[in-house]
Amino acid sequence: MQGCAKTLNVQLSLARDIAAIAKFSDMIQRAVKRQFAKPWFRFEFTSWQRSLLSLKPDGLTGHGFYHTTLPNLLSKPMLNWFNWGSSIGKYNVDKCRNRSPTFAVIATANDVRTDWLNTGRLLTFLLLGLAHRGLSVSYMNQAIQEPDIRKQLPPILQSSQHPQLILRIGRASPVHFTSRRSVEQTIL
């Protein structure tokens, strides 16, 4: 994977250090709290949420984002109207510190379209390679989505690069299948 990253001129950093993971999780928690404090963010977040019973090929169930036993009819309005950022932030910290032995950060020398495309290329290779080895990946990009927090990431990475993606890597319990569009519907 490191060889592929070099070929694409992308930096792939793997963090297994408990102190680095603690710093990442604190930054992610701050970003989550900040994002969920904004009503427009909560409405955007829940606009992609759908019921487990839905046959729609777009959207996501709540299983990957937060733990809730509430049915979708209740959880969606609750997330829309109330700021759950603190609880969701704590849930993410727990996932990061106690359920993820490794973090991967993909970073680039610049922050332009070519770098974004190469980040996606590496991500594809990384996701397929890790899945082939029986590992699971979860996106933890909240800290990258907040510009001032994103600027604090390079020193943790011991890098001057622009972080593009943060991923948690580990073994996970099986999850519910999420229906998707068919290949014929997505390829031009």
Side-chain angles (χ1 to χ4, degrees):
M1 292 182 200
Q2 291 290 359
C4 182
K6 281 184 181 178
T7 302
L8 294 168
N9 199 28
V10 174
Q11 179 186 16
L12 174 61
S13 301
L14 299 175
R16 298 191 81 176
D17 175 58
I18 294 170
I21 290 173
K23 288 179 184 177
F24 280 135
S25 65
D26 289 343
M27 295 170 121
I28 290 165
Q29 182 178 27
R30 280 195 338 233
V32 167
K33 282 181 173 181
R34 190 181 296 174
Q35 290 171 339
F36 274 87
K38 302 169 189 166
W40 68 264
F41 178 87
R42 295 193 304 268
F43 279 90
E44 172 66 18
F45 180 80
T46 59
S47 72
W48 287 96
Q49 185 182 356
R50 64 177 169 79
S51 165
L52 279 174
L53 304 175
S54 173
L55 298 176
K56 292 195 303 186
D58 294 321
L60 298 169
T61 61
H63 290 293
F65 297 116
Y66 49 86
H67 175 70
T68 179
T69 55
L70 294 172
N72 191 268
L73 291 173
L74 294 175
S75 65
K76 196 169 181 173
M78 294 282 288
L79 282 168
N80 274 341
W81 294 106
F82 301 101
N83 180 354
W84 292 88
S86 183
S87 297
I88 294 171
K90 286 178 186 173
Y91 178 66
N92 282 330
V93 166
D94 177 60
K95 287 192 300 187
C96 294
R97 292 186 182 181
N98 301 318
R99 300 184 217 167
S100 302
T102 305
F103 266 65
V105 179
I106 299 174
T108 56
N110 299 298
D111 202 13
V112 295
R113 287 182 184 164
T114 305
D115 296 309
W116 305 333
L117 182 62
N118 286 336
T119 295
R121 288 177 175 147
L122 178 62
L123 177 65
T124 300
F125 180 76
L126 189 66
L127 292 175
L128 289 172
L130 292 170
H132 179 72
R133 288 164 180 81
L135 295 169
S136 298
V137 177
S138 179
Y139 298 95
M140 299 303 290
N141 292 324
Q142 299 91 331
I144 290 176
Q145 295 165 348
E146 294 293 319
D148 63 314
I149 298 175
R150 183 183 187 206
K151 288 176 187 172
Q152 298 169 26
L153 286 168
I156 295 171
L157 305 173
Q158 299 174 346
S159 166
S160 60
Q161 305 268 323
H162 298 271
Q164 302 294 343
L165 289 173
I166 301 174
L167 307 166
R168 291 187 311 120
I169 301 172
R171 298 204 184 275
S173 303
V175 295
H176 294 280
F177 173 75
T178 304
S179 62
R180 293 285 179 244
R181 294 180 189 198
S182 68
V183 172
E184 294 78 22
Q185 291 177 303
T186 56
I187 295 180
L188 299 176

